[in-house]
Amino acid sequence: MSDPNNPYIEKRDTPQWSLYQRENFWKVNEGEVPLFNTEPGKLEELAKEKLTQGGWLYASSNAGQSYTHLANRQAFYRHRIIPRQLIDTKPAPPAPQSSAVRTSFSQYSPHPIPHHSTPHLILALTPSPNTTDKVAAPIGFAPIGINKIYHPLGELPVATVAAELNLPYCLSTAGSTSIEAVAAANGPGPRFYQLYLPHDDELTISLLTRAFTSGFDVCVLTTDTWQLGWRHDDVASGNYAFYRGIGADLGLSDPVFTQRLRERGIDPGKSRKGRARCGSTASGTAAPGPGPNSPG
């Protein structure tokens, strides 16, 4: 999610929608949620409830059985906006002109990204035998963040089961249990660490060093998530666990991150709101962000 302290925001000529998203996520702590859900289908349902029958039919009906309307929608769905990856995302993009979307995207990178490009880079941290041993099947446990919203023990039972099944386990940067605790639960199992590249290079080094010393053999670098996407239902309900004080455990157990908190005058141990502020800091510093050298 965009860092609210990023000075490049001031150079934008369009509003920064992700700051509005942050604002809506935080408002739940103050007992507020947005007035409506921006998901198009749910907006349509709301309109049907509010309009008269005649008004709804006039606004929503199409000729015949709406086959042309359906075909137009299906044609639209076949188009994809493919994000550029591994490029500098710090400077604010100019507002797209009315000519074409393709033109406004092409000015950021002259080389189109292949459709088969992966959103992750797999980097070996160490030639440990864990990565060369045979595993039970050519599948693994994907890096799912904030497991404590599913179970109080968070990532620990999943890491334990992965080892019992002899399948690779991948811990997310957004995990809700410390790197060291997950490694202990995983025991001799093969394990990967998924990295959302922080704004802070010193923090990146600290996280990777902790993963390396805890027996994580592979770094899975996410390259397509430089800020959080707009999720209609999450925004409408203020569903963002970091802002509820849940899910910043990788940061709260990291010496560099906790030092950054102290520099900002944040004490996570004083209150639930203090932990929520830590989550807010994590989402702007330790979670998806504009790039390795961005301010924040």
Side-chain angles (χ1 to χ4, degrees):
M1 195 185 301
S2 179
D3 178 6
N5 299 314
N6 189 332
Y8 288 100
I9 290 177
E10 299 176 0
K11 300 180 181 180
R12 294 183 62 95
D13 52 13
T14 57
Q16 175 53 279
W17 59 266
S18 61
L19 296 185
Y20 174 65
Q21 181 174 234
R22 288 175 70 102
E23 178 183 319
N24 280 317
F25 283 146
W26 183 259
K27 279 185 175 180
V28 173
N29 291 322
E30 301 167 355
E32 299 180 37
V33 293
L35 295 176
F36 54 85
N37 192 318
T38 55
E39 198 279 319
K42 293 178 180 177
L43 276 176
E44 188 176 53
E45 292 173 5
L46 183 60
K48 187 175 183 179
E49 293 175 6
K50 299 293 185 181
L51 295 175
T52 63
Q53 183 182 42
W56 167 252
L57 292 175
Y58 182 79
S60 64
S61 296
N62 300 285
Q65 292 182 282
S66 293
Y67 290 155
T68 300
H69 171 76
L70 175 62
N72 288 340
R73 294 289 290 271
Q74 290 174 334
F76 180 79
Y77 295 150
R78 287 193 292 270
H79 290 276
R80 297 289 182 269
I81 296 176
I82 309 297
R84 310 294 180 188
Q85 297 174 26
L86 296 177
I87 65 168
D88 186 6
T89 60
K90 296 191 298 297
Q97 303 302 312
S98 59
S99 53
V101 173
R102 180 180 297 276
T103 301
S104 64
F105 279 120
S106 65
Q107 55 190 301
Y108 309 144
S109 174
H111 306 295
I113 189 169
H115 284 255
H116 61 269
S117 293
T118 173
H120 301 289
L121 290 179
I122 311 300
L123 309 171
L125 294 179
T126 170
S128 164
N130 281 6
T131 56
T132 56
D133 284 348
K134 291 182 178 179
V135 294
I139 58 174
F141 286 73
I144 306 299
I146 327 178
N147 283 191
K148 284 184 179 177
I149 65 176
Y150 308 114
H151 190 280
L153 294 179
E155 288 76 9
L156 299 180
V158 185
T160 300
V161 170
E164 292 173 353
L165 296 175
N166 191 29
L167 294 174
Y169 172 81
C170 190
L171 174 64
S172 169
T173 298
S176 51
T177 310
S178 73
I179 293 172
E180 294 75 15
V182 171
N186 189 239
R191 49 186 175 269
F192 304 163
Y193 177 69
Q194 176 269 332
L195 177 68
Y196 286 128
L197 199 63
H199 302 182
D200 186 323
D201 290 345
E202 189 179 350
L203 177 57
T204 301
I205 293 170
S206 181
L207 290 170
L208 290 179
T209 299
R210 291 171 60 200
F212 175 83
T213 57
S214 297
F216 289 81
D217 304 314
V218 172
C219 173
V220 180
L221 174 62
T222 300
T223 63
D224 71 339
T225 310
W226 57 273
Q227 72 177 38
L228 187 67
W230 184 277
R231 305 181 185 185
H232 298 284
D233 291 334
D234 282 345
V235 175
S237 60
N239 182 36
Y240 196 56
F242 290 113
Y243 286 14
R244 312 287 90 75
I246 303 170
D249 297 65
L250 264 70
L252 292 174
S253 59
D254 189 274
V256 174
F257 184 78
T258 52
Q259 175 61 30
R260 297 293 183 265
L261 290 179
R262 289 191 291 271
E263 292 169 358
R264 298 186 184 192
I266 299 174
D267 183 354
K270 284 189 175 181
S271 65
R272 180 179 177 87
K273 189 170 183 179
R275 286 187 62 85
R277 289 184 66 200
C278 293
S280 174
T281 304
S283 70
T285 303
N293 298 310
S294 300

